[in-house]
Amino acid sequence: MANSPRTMEKSGFGATQRTDAWWLQPVATAAGLGAFVVYSTLRAFENNFYTVGPYLSPFYSPLIDIGMGISPALLILWAPAGFRTTCYYYRKAYYRAFFRDPAACAVGESNEHKYCGETKFPFILQNLHRFMFYVAVIFIFILWHDAYKAFFFEDGVGMGVGTIVMILNATFLSGYTFGCHSFRHLIGGKRDTFQDGNASHGCWMGASKLNAKHMNWAWLSLFWVGFTDFYVRSVASGLFSDFRIF
Amino acid sequence: MPDVTFRISTGSAEQNEEKTYRVPVAEGWVVLDAVHYIQAHEAPDLAVRWNCKAAKCGSCSAEVNGKPKLMCKTRLDDFADGEEIVVYPLKTFPRIKDLVTDVSWNYEVAKKIKPFTPAKDTKWSMDQRDMDRVQEFRKCIECFLCQDVCHVLRNHDKKPEFAGPRSFVRIANLEMHPLDTASRLDFLKNEGGLGYCNITKCCTEVCPEDIHITDNAIIPLKERLVDEYYDPIAKLFKVFSGK
C-alpha cells in the first residue's frame, strides 16, 4: 500500500541516494597520493643518502649535481611529476580525490562552483601530456641503465636485493609508461585504418593491453619507485644492509 | 523470498513525492519486475518506460539506490536482505511523469553530428581489424545512463555547451571508421565541448554494455584534438609530410 510521502533529493556536496561506501575510494586515493607527495618532497629536499654502492635512488636519477646546496632531485623530479600529473588515469584520481569534481559517480558537488573542465588555464595544459610522455621515455632508458649498473659492485659483477629492486622499478615504470593513452594514440590509435600497417596494429594492440591495466601499473610503479628510494636511503644511511645474492 | 520494501519517486517535475510499497518478490526478479507488480496491484497509473526487458532496448533507465541502472538488469538478489530499494527517474533530464523522463535532448545533439560520409568512389572493403575497433561503439543501446551520470551534465548542467559521453561514442565510431572522410573535430572542440570532460570515468562505470567509453572513445578523441589544435610538432609534420 502506498504511504508516507517523502521529500525529493537534496543538492550540494556529498548529496546522494547511494547507500554504498562511495567515499572510500576518494579517501583512499587522497591518502595514497598524499603520502607519496609528502615522502617524495621530503626526500627531494633531504639531498642525502641517495646513492650507495652501485645503487642510485630513482628520485635522483639522472644525477645532476650542480652544488650550491641545491638537491639534484629538484632538478629532475619535474619530469616524472609532470608525466604523472597530466596522465589520464591520475587526472581521474585527483579530480575525484582532491577537487571532488565529482568525488564519486552520482554524488553531489559544491553548490557554488564554476566548472570549466579542461577548457581553461591551468587544466587546458593537460593537453600537453604527450610531451611529458616523450620526456618520460628518456627517463625509462636512464632507469634501465641504472638497473644495469646495479650489477657492478666494487668487487666485481654481482647481484644484491637492491639490484632486483631496481630492475623491478624500471619494469613497473616501463609498464606504466608504455601503457600511456598518448602513446597508444601515437603508436597507432590515430590511424583510421590498419589496412596498410601491420606493425602499427601490433604496437597498438600491445599498448592497448598495457593500457587496460593502466591504473594498476600507475599505482604499482608509484609505490615501487618510492620503495626503491626508501631501500637505497635505508642502505645508504645504515638502517640495514643490502643482502648480496652472489 | 521475504517481501521487499520499494520507495518509488512519483509525480511530475514540479510536484513529486516518494511512495512506499511492500512487494512479495519471487526468485530471479529484477527491479522492473517489482515495478510491474506495483503497477498491476497498487498503482495502475505509475508511469514507467520499458520495452524489451532484456537489457537491449535501453528504455528502462532509472536510478536505483542512487546509481544509474537499467531496471531490467538490476537483480533483487544483489541487494542485502531487508534493504529498501529506492527508485528514481534519471535526474539529468526533465521528468515527464513518475519514472519517465524526457531524453529528447540527446536526439537533438545527435542531429548536429555529421553523419557517415564515405568517399564517392569508395570500394566497400574493410579490414576486420578496423571493424573490431569500432564494433565496441556500436553496442551502445542509447539508454543514456552515461549522460545521466556525467557530472558535466548532471551537476553543472552544461547541456548547451557539452554533447556528453553518448555523443562522443557516436563520434568515435564515425571518426575511427576506415571509410569515413568527414571531420568532426571542430564540433568536438567547440559545440561539443569535449574539453569539459575531465575523464572521471563515471560514464564507463555505469555503461550496461560495458563499453570502455573513456579509454576507447573519449581519450582517443581528446588525443585527436591535441593533434589538430595543441601539438605544434604534429602540425609541422602534417605540413611537411602532406598527410
Side-chain angles (χ1 to χ4, degrees):
Chain A
M1 187 67 196
N3 55 39
S4 65
R6 300 166 77 120
T7 52
M8 273 291 280
E9 63 271 23
K10 297 170 189 160
S11 61
F13 176 67
T16 184
Q17 289 177 319
R18 284 179 62 169
T19 50
D20 58 334
W22 59 265
W23 47 270
L24 192 59
Q25 193 180 43
V27 167
T29 304
L33 291 180
F36 183 82
V37 168
V38 168
Y39 175 77
S40 57
T41 305
L42 290 174
R43 279 293 288 143
F45 281 99
E46 187 177 18
N47 196 12
N48 202 358
F49 304 128
Y50 51 77
T51 182
V52 58
Y55 307 142
L56 174 63
S57 161
F59 287 0
Y60 286 79
S61 179
L63 190 57
I64 305 168
D65 193 354
I66 59 169
M68 299 184 289
I70 296 172
S71 168
L74 297 177
L75 301 177
I76 59 110
L77 279 183
W78 61 270
F83 182 52
R84 289 196 188 253
T85 305
T86 58
C87 162
Y88 285 101
Y89 165 68
Y90 282 111
R91 276 144 78 175
K92 171 202 163 186
Y94 64 74
Y95 284 139
R96 282 194 186 197
F98 295 113
F99 293 86
R100 300 176 303 182
D101 221 352
C105 306
V107 171
E109 298 175 19
S110 310
N111 283 330
E112 297 295 327
H113 163 199
K114 191 174 176 228
Y115 178 78
C116 299
E118 297 181 341
T119 61
K120 300 256 163 55
F121 183 83
F123 296 115
I124 197 168
L125 296 178
Q126 308 279 29
N127 287 306
L128 301 179
H129 181 53
R130 66 179 57 175
F131 295 102
M132 299 313 302
F133 165 77
Y134 299 144
V135 178
V137 170
I138 296 169
F139 275 70
I140 291 297
F141 281 107
I142 292 168
L143 290 171
W144 273 112
H145 183 64
D146 289 344
Y148 168 75
K149 285 202 299 186
F151 284 97
F152 297 93
F153 293 81
E154 276 183 5
D155 56 352
V157 175
M159 180 188 253
V161 170
T163 314
I164 297 170
V165 168
M166 292 188 68
I167 290 170
L168 288 175
N169 182 49
T171 305
F172 296 153
L173 284 168
S174 300
Y176 169 59
T177 304
F178 293 107
C180 163
H181 291 85
S182 288
F183 176 64
R184 185 180 177 227
H185 170 77
L186 294 164
I187 203 71
K190 67 198 296 184
R191 304 169 72 113
D192 288 341
T193 178
F194 293 112
Q195 210 155 13
D196 53 353
N198 287 327
S200 180
H201 182 258
C203 292
W204 178 74
M205 288 291 282
S208 296
K209 273 188 185 155
L210 287 173
N211 181 264
K213 301 280 180 196
H214 199 45
M215 180 184 81
N216 301 9
W217 286 111
W219 280 107
L220 184 61
S221 62
L222 188 79
F223 170 77
W224 203 263
V225 76
F227 178 74
T228 306
D229 173 78
F230 172 76
Y231 188 89
V232 173
R233 188 193 182 283
S234 300
V235 174
S237 64
L239 188 67
F240 54 75
S241 314
D242 181 45
F243 177 74
R244 279 288 291 274
I245 297 165
F246 65 85
Chain B
M1 287 181 76
D3 289 3
V4 174
T5 302
F6 279 82
R7 283 167 34 208
I8 298 193
S9 178
T10 61
S12 63
E14 294 77 27
Q15 195 171 12
N16 46 66
E17 62 184 11
E18 274 182 14
K19 288 182 179 165
T20 306
Y21 304 92
R22 292 283 294 173
V23 178
V25 301
E27 196 174 342
W29 271 27
V30 292
V31 170
L32 186 58
D33 288 316
V35 170
H36 281 163
Y37 178 91
I38 293 164
Q39 213 178 30
H41 296 88
E42 302 269 355
D45 62 339
L46 178 67
V48 56
R49 186 184 280 136
W50 71 284
N51 197 346
C52 74
K53 204 169 170 283
K56 282 297 161 199
C57 72
S59 302
C60 64
S61 301
E63 303 203 1
V64 182
N65 282 6
K67 287 185 180 174
K69 286 176 181 287
L70 291 180
M71 286 190 283
C72 70
K73 209 181 172 185
T74 308
R75 294 177 61 93
L76 297 185
D77 53 15
D78 286 342
F79 295 89
D81 286 345
E83 186 176 356
E84 276 191 342
I85 299 177
V86 182
V87 187
Y88 268 67
L90 300 180
K91 291 181 185 165
T92 300
F93 301 105
R95 185 195 312 232
I96 298 172
K97 184 178 183 305
D98 302 338
L99 299 179
V100 177
T101 51
D102 177 4
V103 293
S104 58
W105 173 79
N106 297 290
Y107 300 110
E108 295 305 316
V109 175
K111 284 181 199 164
K112 295 179 188 168
I113 298 169
K114 275 186 206 163
F116 176 60
T117 313
K120 280 185 181 162
D121 55 347
T122 287
K123 291 174 188 143
W124 295 95
S125 136
M126 289 171 276
D127 193 304
Q128 185 59 47
R129 295 172 298 186
D130 296 333
M131 299 326 293
D132 288 343
R133 176 163 59 158
V134 294
Q135 195 60 34
E136 177 184 15
F137 308 134
R138 301 177 74 88
K139 291 194 300 178
C140 177
I141 57 174
E142 296 206 311
C143 61
F144 303 124
L145 291 178
C146 57
Q147 303 283 78
D148 178 54
V149 79
C150 174
H151 75 121
V152 184
L153 298 170
R154 184 186 182 93
N155 299 99
H156 302 289
D157 199 20
K158 294 277 187 192
K159 285 198 190 81
E161 305 150 79
F162 181 69
R166 161 57 192 138
S167 307
F168 300 143
V169 167
R170 180 180 168 84
I171 292 173
N173 179 33
L174 293 164
E175 284 292 303
M176 295 178 197
H177 196 289
L179 301 183
D180 181 74
T181 57
S183 171
R184 296 154 193 89
L185 297 181
D186 183 60
F187 174 84
L188 277 174
K189 183 170 189 289
N190 299 304
E191 212 177 341
L194 185 62
Y196 280 111
C197 171
N198 67 347
I199 49 173
T200 40
K201 283 199 171 183
C202 288
C203 50
T204 305
E205 282 186 23
V206 301
C207 180
E209 282 294 314
D210 201 24
I211 301 171
H212 293 205
I213 300 172
T214 321
D215 289 319
N216 291 347
I218 294 178
I219 293 174
L221 289 176
K222 275 186 175 259
E223 286 294 318
R224 285 177 185 227
L225 277 193
V226 175
D227 284 344
E228 190 68 20
Y229 297 102
Y230 302 106
D231 185 346
I233 296 172
K235 278 265 184 204
L236 273 177
F237 182 78
K238 267 190 182 175
V239 168
F240 288 111
S241 68
K243 285 183 182 174

